[in-house]
Amino acid sequence: MAFEPRIVGFLCNWCSYTGADLAGTSRVKYAPNVRIIRVMCSARIDPTFVLKALSEGADGVLICGCHPGDCHYVEGNYKAVRRFAALKRVLRAYGIEEERVRLEWVSASEGVRFAEIVNDMTERTRKLGPSRVKPQLMADAAAR
Amino acid sequence: MSRRISIDPITRLEGHGKIEIFLDDQGAVEDCYFQIPELRGFERFVVGRPIEELPRIVTRICGVCPASHHLAGAKAVDGCFGDEVPPLAHKLREMYYNAHYIHSHIAHFYALAAPDFILGPDADPAVRNILGVVAKVGLEIGGKVIKARAQAQEIQQIIGGRTTHLVWCLPGGVSKGLKPEELEKIKPMVGELYDFTQFSLKLFREAVLGNPGYVELILNGPYTLQVQNMGLVDENDAPNFYHGKVRVVDCEGKEICKYAPREYADHVAEHVEPWTYLKFPYLKKRGWNGFVEGVDSSLYTATPLARLNVADRMATPRAQEAFEEMFKTLGKKPCQALLACHWARLVEMVQNAETLQRYCADPEITGDAYRVVPKQITGEGVGIVEAMRGTLTHHYTCDPKGICTSANLIVGTTNNNAPIHMVTRKAAASLIKPGVEPTQGILNMIEMAFRAFDPCYSCATHSLPGQMPLEVRIHKNGALYREFRRRC
Amino acid sequence: MADRKLQIALYWGAACGGCDVAVLDTNEFILDVAALADIRLWPIATDGKYRDVEAMADEELDLTIFSGAIRNSENEKMARMLRQKSKLLVAFGSCAHLGGIPGLANLFDLDEILKTAYLSNPSIEPGNSTVPRPHSEAGGHALEIPQLYPRVYKLDQVVDVDYYVPGCPPAPAQVKAVLLAVATGHLPARGSVVGASDRAVCDECGRHKAEKQVQKFYRPWQIIQKPEECLLEQGIPCAGSATRSGCGVRCPNSGMPCRGCYGPLPNVKDQGAKILSALASIIDSRDPEQIERILDDVPDLVGLAYRFGLPASLLQRRIGA
């Protein structure tokens, strides 16, 4: 049986969640691997959420926000950019492949784009294989 | 059929330790192993860290002598930045360090050494500790010792901002200087500490040198080792704990080498055995020849006694008097009678106090020029200081961005790993007699062998029953035959 | 408390001894402790031994103060034994609380550590291929040393812990408060952090704080900092905003930035994530390329964010080879 990546998606309410909704109402076919969590703004994404998702077995994490300049709260997506830039470096130090955690801009009208992002990320994550984070944590705990 | 005596754990040592003694059929000591069961991996996990962070990471190698690691690390980092350090920073560091020495030497002498001498090596174990010492000589001394050590800690706090786990040194100097009002707080304490060093020497003279049995134990007991001596000296061949060249003098008094920190790897190498995590440094040019004594041995000690053995003189006048008195009594120099380390510690304390006095009188000490912004990263540095328990070497390399690419550490007590192993074996072989049950006193006397080295974890001077746990199990024909235990 | 003296133990795992020195730095107070308690095990200072602990009844000890992380089989064995024999087990100091500085080893495989220590370092005996191992033989005798584990654990990843006392080392004043609390029975809910504030270091720090808008970060040696102003505002990364106080702000008061030894604030699951978030949120830029350049000036973000708490983080360690 092929490995089906489990990807957690944090989508901002105003642009990217609406865009994902549009993909649905437009009956666009795309991979079902992303579990969506709606937040009000991409700025809400504390690096803790990403780390928690990975530690609990997510193979990938997708964060979507409004295009720069379009944030409903004016600056929120810029804050997301900064936090994500810092987090990426730490993930690399932990040995987690860069493609497993992604930040993308999706507007409310970009249903097709959202689907393409999900398909692309699903395939890339499938090629990387299951994340070893949770199995390693469980093995460490079981060893003691 | 051999029998096995396990002493586990040993206390007041660098971390954990144990001794395994093997007896032959006659009950004589056939072999003895001194094992260190831990490794944390500092040499590897500092790689990738910004090099300026290392001095505040490597303090966590030891919580009793963290300043030794901080300063050795700081000097290695200095080297990585082209040694651009203003003279005032060096002065302040040396001032701090001499106060640090006093805290540690007080702790060791009063909590670890004094009980054996004030109460006797085979006194009742229940009282052979700092409490028993206080009971015998009075509460006044206990309070005096606590106060002196607290003053030494306070002086460090004022100069460097922290005692345990200093964060003060950085590329280009130190992060804070000494204000005039801070110096005024330090001066009276330094005066009292100097008096305390004289008091300690007097106590030693009366309690130890005034007892012929102890003098005999020091000079002619099983605690001698004919190996070489290592210590840091200044341009006058006097001890300097912060800075200088490493001098190695053999057990007959001949200089073997004198090297600058950058040359350390030409002179010292480390041997590995599978039965202990601690490595065995030796003189590289002579090669590893095993655990052997003699003037040709490649083994050496790095202890207060070794430091004074390699020195031609002390750096300060009252310390010089104490130095001369010590060697006159011991009868020769170098002296390889390891129990004399306890005396050497007290002599060093005098130099520590006089050095502090000198800096207190230095009009530049409260200046502002304690830091510069360094202009270049040169990529490699070796910092050597004398930790209280031996020569400490930190060797770092970094990339052009100042990120650590390697670290090599030869730690104070590590220098003494082979000597401790050997003198413990000697003491056990001499003290455990075939056919005679080892008593509590004998167990303690085996401990006195490594205790002289002041292994890394010296305890503070407080009223805790300062005893080592010892347990001896003697097996005969595979079954437990006798057991001795010494508790607190 | 009852008439009988408290039975206490102080023990160390993968430790440096600084926590023991912190207990002794309470100076005269330790005399009071000695009057109130029998110290049944304290390897740095007394002669209680493993055999004595083995012989104790379950919960015979009122209190064990455990410092140091869990790095090898002996550390784990003693943690379990002392848990069984103690009514209260306190994780004392950063190593027991969070993993501590030894936890940085979780960025490496054990093989790498052994290779550096015993094979490749410049002062190793030429030609050496020996690496210490748990079972070996010498002179016909079998010898043992503990098994090193592939990673470092904090204490509560191995046994249940009743209280946590943070700090590297805990400040002596806090040590005293904790010992008194146990002696008088005035303890908060089990699982609490004691001997520290619930607020950040910034709250205790006396430096002047204004607006944090940083366009360039500096390493501590790159600029001469202004001693009265917030370090972060001057561009020097400081973990104080995401770290518990109670330490007396001893690092910023010496002129050096906080590195987080007192651990996360209440309800924070991952201290490093908060440190990263704090640094990122003060970057004064909207341009992704400029943001990357600004972050390039803070090398080793993982070592900065998780200096004392890598084993306590959500990911706990690097993905192994």
Side-chain angles (χ1 to χ4, degrees), chain A residues 7 30-31 46 57 59 70 84 95-96 100 109 116 134 144:
Chain A
I7 298 168
Y30 64 97
D46 186 326
D59 300 301
D70 294 346
F84 184 67
I96 291 166
R100 290 193 190 271
S109 60
E116 283 168 356
K134 186 170 180 189
R144 304 275 71 81

Side-chain angles (χ1 to χ4, degrees), chain C residues 26-45:
Chain C
T26 54
N27 293 328
E28 303 75 21
F29 174 72
I30 208 69
L31 295 169
D32 299 332
V33 173
L36 277 170
D38 287 330
I39 300 172
R40 302 283 295 276
L41 174 78
W42 193 2
I44 199 177

Side-chain angles (χ1 to χ4, degrees), chain B residues 11-12 44 49 52-53 56 63 149 175 270-271 277 279 371 401 457 463 467-469 483 487-488, chain C residues 16 25 31 43-47 51-52 116-118 123 125 142 146 168 219 223 254 257 259 300 307:
Chain B
T11 61
R12 277 167 267 142
R44 189 73 184 101
R49 316 275 79 78
E52 69 269 14
E53 298 289 323
R56 60 189 296 187
R149 188 182 158 271
S175 63
E270 297 177 282
H271 175 76
Y277 286 110
K279 293 172 271 194
R371 233 200 101 180
K401 292 206 170 85
Y457 289 98
S463 61
Q467 278 227 329
M468 292 202 10
E483 251 184 273
R487 318 163 202 269
C488 86
Chain C
C16 74
D25 276 349
L31 295 169
I44 199 177
T46 77
D47 71 342
R51 242 268 177 111
D52 289 338
T116 300
Y118 300 109
S123 55
E125 183 180 11
C168 185
R219 285 160 67 176
I223 56 168
S254 323
R259 288 293 179 249
D300 188 32
R307 181 68 54 85

Side-chain angles (χ1 to χ4, degrees), chain B residues 64-388:
Chain B
V64 178
C65 53
S68 304
H69 290 285
H70 188 70
L71 293 178
K75 289 170 69 185
V77 170
D78 291 343
C80 292
F81 283 81
D83 280 309
E84 222 185 312
V85 181
L88 178 58
H90 285 306
K91 285 188 181 182
L92 286 166
R93 290 177 185 177
E94 193 178 359
M95 192 180 181
Y96 181 103
Y97 200 39
N98 277 279
H100 189 67
Y101 249 72
I102 293 178
H103 123 76
S104 175
H105 278 357
I106 289 176
H108 184 269
F109 180 76
Y110 284 95
L112 306 189
D116 290 324
F117 293 100
I118 304 291
L119 299 161
D122 48 6
D124 178 1
V127 301
R128 196 181 52 232
N129 52 57
I130 188 65
L131 272 177
V133 170
V134 170
K136 181 154 182 190
V137 301
L139 258 174
E140 204 194 317
I141 293 190
K144 224 177 154 94
V145 171
I146 292 177
K147 184 175 183 210
R149 188 182 158 271
Q151 284 175 328
Q153 295 284 64
E154 176 70 10
I155 291 171
Q156 292 169 72
Q157 174 84 22
I158 292 171
I159 300 173
R162 281 188 71 150
T163 54
T164 310
H165 302 325
L166 192 56
V167 300
W168 183 47
C169 295
L170 76 171
V174 293
S175 63
K176 79 176 269 298
L178 194 59
K179 299 199 188 83
E181 56 273 21
E182 290 174 330
L183 181 61
E184 290 313 307
K185 280 203 209 120
I186 289 176
K187 278 180 183 167
M189 289 196 276
V190 168
E192 288 185 47
L193 282 175
Y194 173 79
D195 291 339
F196 186 78
T197 69
Q198 299 306 307
F199 165 82
S200 301
L201 276 171
K202 181 160 169 284
L203 184 72
F204 188 82
R205 273 184 218 110
E206 286 167 4
V208 181
L209 301 178
N211 182 320
Y214 293 156
V215 176
E216 175 67 19
L217 192 66
I218 294 173
L219 295 179
N220 299 315
Y223 312 103
T224 62
L225 208 63
Q226 300 303 324
V227 292
Q228 328 316 340
N229 299 275
M230 174 185 279
L232 212 57
V233 294
D234 65 18
E235 59 278 359
N236 296 320
D237 287 324
N240 188 302
F241 310 110
Y242 171 68
H243 200 64
K245 288 199 168 156
V246 179
R247 194 183 197 197
V248 184
V249 169
D250 72 21
C251 52
E252 289 174 4
K254 186 155 158 280
E255 180 181 295
I256 297 174
C257 60
K258 190 193 270 191
Y259 62 85
R262 282 186 186 253
E263 298 160 351
Y264 85 99
D266 296 333
H267 296 274
V268 176
E270 297 177 282
H271 175 76
V272 182
E273 290 285 344
W275 42 264
T276 176
Y277 286 110
L278 197 61
K279 293 172 271 194
F280 297 93
Y282 64 96
L283 295 169
K284 186 173 187 178
K285 298 193 185 203
R286 294 184 170 196
W288 173 260
N289 297 317
F291 298 102
V292 294
E293 291 186 66
V295 71
D296 296 321
S297 167
S298 58
L299 301 174
Y300 62 89
T301 58
T303 63
L305 182 63
R307 286 196 280 267
L308 299 195
N309 276 336
V310 309
D312 290 348
R313 57 188 61 81
M314 298 302 281
T316 58
R318 299 285 89 77
Q320 175 66 20
E321 287 168 14
F323 172 88
E324 285 169 13
E325 181 197 356
M326 184 182 96
F327 281 114
K328 182 148 172 264
T329 307
L330 293 173
K332 60 185 175 129
K333 178 177 186 290
C335 174
Q336 304 297 134
L338 299 172
L339 291 185
C341 277
H342 299 305
W343 195 351
R345 230 160 252 127
L346 300 182
V347 172
E348 289 191 330
M349 266 199 342
V350 181
Q351 180 169 314
N352 296 135
E354 288 185 284
T355 305
L356 280 169
Q357 284 173 325
R358 201 178 72 213
Y359 278 123
C360 282
D362 184 338
E364 291 177 358
I365 203 73
T366 51
D368 285 329
Y370 50 82
R371 233 200 101 180
V372 295
V373 175
K375 294 190 260 322
Q376 51 170 347
I377 292 175
T378 47
E380 187 168 7
V382 180
I384 297 187
V385 301
E386 282 295 318
M388 288 68 81

Side-chain angles (χ1 to χ4, degrees), chain C residues 197-205 239-246 265-266:
Chain C
S197 161
D198 281 346
R199 305 182 71 152
V201 172
C202 301
D203 190 60
E204 256 193 327
C205 178
S241 58
T243 304
R244 273 190 199 264
S245 67
L265 287 155

Side-chain angles (χ1 to χ4, degrees), chain C residues 148-206:
Chain C
L148 288 169
Y149 289 158
R151 56 156 288 181
V152 175
Y153 298 86
K154 57 181 174 126
L155 185 60
D156 71 8
Q157 286 166 338
V158 170
V159 291
D160 289 337
V161 169
D162 297 305
Y163 296 101
Y164 303 86
V165 180
C168 185
Q174 304 287 14
V175 171
K176 189 169 165 177
V178 168
L179 290 172
L180 276 174
V182 174
T184 56
H186 289 124
L187 285 165
R190 292 243 173 153
S192 299
V193 168
V194 295
S197 161
D198 281 346
R199 305 182 71 152
V201 172
C202 301
D203 190 60
E204 256 193 327
C205 178

